[in-house]
Amino acid sequence: MDSAGLDGVIRQDRAGLVQQFGQPRLDVAEGDMRKLQFAGQACVLDIFLYPLRPAGEPVATHVEARRASDGRDVDRAACARALQRERR
């Protein structure tokens, strides 16, 4: 995955992501995968966490972002920054 601009997100565990974005709107576990969804005025950010080794703690490996208004894709890093600013 191209993680340009997502250095503070990729490889973060759930606790690190909650510290950055607050409590997720959705927290879904399926097998060893976990999906956290954070939402704000500007966008919705879906972060997918997977363990990088067997029995390891899941960490962020993939991010998707879309506009809250119409669901169109937006820049993932810009969405993450917008949600972090809203949290402050």
Side-chain angles (χ1 to χ4, degrees), residues 14-25 37-43 45 47 78-88:
R14 183 186 189 286
L17 295 169
V18 168
Q19 185 174 5
Q20 289 184 59
F21 301 110
Q23 289 300 315
R25 179 166 78 172
Q37 184 179 86
F38 301 94
Q41 299 246 334
C43 60
L45 191 69
I47 304 176
C79 179
R81 286 190 303 272
L83 293 176
Q84 289 166 336
R85 279 192 303 272
E86 284 182 31
R87 176 147 165 77
R88 292 184 195 140

Side-chain angles (χ1 to χ4, degrees), residues 11-52:
R11 294 188 182 258
Q12 287 290 313
D13 61 11
R14 183 186 189 286
L17 295 169
V18 168
Q19 185 174 5
Q20 289 184 59
F21 301 110
Q23 289 300 315
R25 179 166 78 172
L26 291 175
D27 185 342
V28 179
E30 185 176 309
D32 63 354
M33 183 278 301
R34 185 173 211 160
K35 172 184 163 183
L36 302 178
Q37 184 179 86
F38 301 94
Q41 299 246 334
C43 60
V44 176
L45 191 69
D46 293 317
I47 304 176
F48 298 85
L49 296 84
Y50 291 90
L52 297 179

Side-chain angles (χ1 to χ4, degrees), residues 4-6 43 45 64-66 72-81:
L6 294 170
C43 60
L45 191 69
E64 295 177 359
R66 61 189 176 282
R72 294 184 67 114
D73 288 346
V74 296
D75 180 86
R76 297 168 301 175
C79 179
R81 286 190 303 272

